[in-house]
């Protein structure tokens, strides 16, 4: 696909688009590095967020043929690579410049190990990622939640059904701050996050994982008193942390009935 077309379809901001188009790279060199030396590929791009944005975008633009060849629509291609925009905007919000630091994560999409089907992303796993998960399941779909909209129950239902139909798997696992039990004290029962939680049975809790703070407040602070209080969740989470408690993350699973 034409680079400019792809960038427009994934809603990349105009300033970022201009930067990507103006930076010259050797496409074949980076494609070869991704295929043959993925660890080196990731390490080199982590050292230069602006270069990472350009390289990942150009490789993504050339990846459009894979999706229809494997029974996936162009919309799945566009949705899957919208992560480029999500993380470019995140980097710009934090630093004031356009770039990407989530290189290992975005590399999964380039390697066709991660797909977005509607509201959710799915990562097929050849074996159980954790011994605490039910051993009855040999294969799992690891669920990821893009940070670009509400978790409407109907949208999640549709995503899980699409994932089951495409991957032919019914066992789903998820390790996320969105499954943290503490959120039940911070959010109303009608919250979309709480409704998402209720699908899963948790098998492990990780109190020292600070992903929730990073997502809720946009970054980490040593002193919770320095966190912003622009939203109700920020205010309740800040009070919770100031009381000495931790939000953490959790690992959970669920099985989609036949």
């Amino acid at each position: 696909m034409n680079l400019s077309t792809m960038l427009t379809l994934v809603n990349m901001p105009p300033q970022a688009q201009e930067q990507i188009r103006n930076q010259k790279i050797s496409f074949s060199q980076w494609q070869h590095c991704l295929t043959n030396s993925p660890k080196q590929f990731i390490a080199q791009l982590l050292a230069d967020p602006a270069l990472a944005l350009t390289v990942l975008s150009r490789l993504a633009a050339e990846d459009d043929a894979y999706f229809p060849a494997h029974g996936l629509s162009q919309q799945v291609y566009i949705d899957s690579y919208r992560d480029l925009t999500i993380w470019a905007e995140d980097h710009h919000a934090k630093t004031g410049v356009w770039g990407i630091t989530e290189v290992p994560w975005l590399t999964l999409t380039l390697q066709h190990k991660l797909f977005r089907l509607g509201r959710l992303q799915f990562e097929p796993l050849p074996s159980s990622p954790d011994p605490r998960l039910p051993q009855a399941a040999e294969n799992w779909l690891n669920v990821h939640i893009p940070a670009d909209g509400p978790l409407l129950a109907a949208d999640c239902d549709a995503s899980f059904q699409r994932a089951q139909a495409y991957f032919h798997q019914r066992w789903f696992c998820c390790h996320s701050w969105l499954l943290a039990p503490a959120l039940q004290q911070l959010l109303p029962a009608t919250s979309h996050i709480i409704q998402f939680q209720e699908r899963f049975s948790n098998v492990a809790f990780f109190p020292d994982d600070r992903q929730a703070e990073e997502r809720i407040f946009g970054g980490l602070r040593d002193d919770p008193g320095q966190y912003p209080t622009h939203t109700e969740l920020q205010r309740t989470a800040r009070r919770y942390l100031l009381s000495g408690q931790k939000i953490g993350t959790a690992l959970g699973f669920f099985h989609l009935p036949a």
Side-chain angles (χ1 to χ4, degrees):
M1 179 179 289
N2 175 272
L3 176 63
S4 294
T5 300
M6 187 278 292
L7 293 173
T8 299
L9 289 173
V10 301
N11 298 320
M12 186 68 69
Q15 288 182 325
Q17 290 195 35
E18 183 179 4
Q19 176 180 306
I20 293 166
R21 286 192 294 265
N22 289 340
Q23 187 170 17
K24 306 303 180 184
I25 66 164
S26 170
F27 175 84
S28 59
Q29 174 186 334
W30 283 105
Q31 181 67 67
H32 182 271
C33 188
L34 171 64
T35 303
N36 297 285
S37 304
K39 290 183 179 179
Q40 180 183 351
F41 175 87
I42 291 170
Q44 289 182 335
L45 293 185
L46 282 173
D48 190 337
L51 177 63
L53 176 58
T54 298
V55 170
L56 294 170
S57 296
R58 290 186 177 274
L59 291 176
E62 297 295 327
D63 194 38
D64 61 317
Y66 176 91
F67 289 76
H70 291 80
L72 295 165
S73 68
Q74 185 187 66
Q75 191 61 51
V76 173
Y77 163 74
I78 295 167
D79 290 345
S80 295
Y81 281 112
R82 192 167 287 137
D83 257 11
L84 288 166
T85 302
I86 291 174
W87 292 112
E89 290 180 333
D90 179 77
H91 186 77
H92 188 268
K94 292 176 178 176
T95 67
V97 297
W98 293 104
I100 281 180
T101 55
E102 297 291 328
V103 177
W105 172 250
L106 288 159
T107 299
L108 291 175
T109 303
L110 287 170
Q111 294 174 321
H112 309 126
K113 296 178 180 179
L114 180 73
F115 302 89
R116 182 165 179 174
L117 301 176
R119 181 63 186 88
L120 304 172
Q121 292 166 308
F122 299 93
E123 177 189 7
L125 301 177
S127 60
S128 174
D130 192 287
R132 289 165 290 196
L133 292 168
Q135 297 305 300
E138 295 183 357
N139 298 313
W140 289 85
L141 286 177
N142 197 10
V143 182
H144 303 278
I145 307 95
D148 64 351
L151 275 176
L152 300 178
D155 292 344
C156 293
D157 286 341
S159 286
F160 285 121
Q161 292 291 343
R162 289 176 66 182
Q164 187 281 321
Y166 183 73
F167 294 107
H168 305 291
Q169 295 181 29
R170 295 184 176 275
W171 288 93
F172 298 86
C173 62
C174 181
H175 179 191
S176 173
W177 73 276
L178 294 171
L179 298 188
L183 294 178
Q184 297 176 18
Q185 302 178 50
L186 305 179
L187 293 167
T190 55
S191 162
H192 297 313
I193 292 176
I194 298 303
Q195 292 173 3
F196 181 79
Q197 273 194 0
E198 290 173 347
R199 300 172 183 271
F200 291 83
S201 298
N202 285 350
V203 296
F205 176 56
F206 306 89
D208 294 324
D209 190 332
R210 301 180 68 192
Q211 184 189 60
E213 293 174 60
E214 189 170 9
R215 297 292 187 265
I216 293 171
F217 299 107
L220 297 176
R221 299 287 187 274
D222 292 332
D223 177 9
Q226 296 180 351
Y227 281 138
T229 55
H230 304 305
T231 68
E232 182 61 26
L233 179 55
Q234 287 179 340
R235 289 188 287 271
T236 56
R238 180 177 177 272
R239 287 195 297 268
Y240 189 82
L241 294 167
L242 285 170
S243 73
Q245 301 184 82
K246 299 178 179 180
I247 299 174
T249 61
L251 171 67
F253 75 93
F254 86 95
H255 179 259
L256 189 68

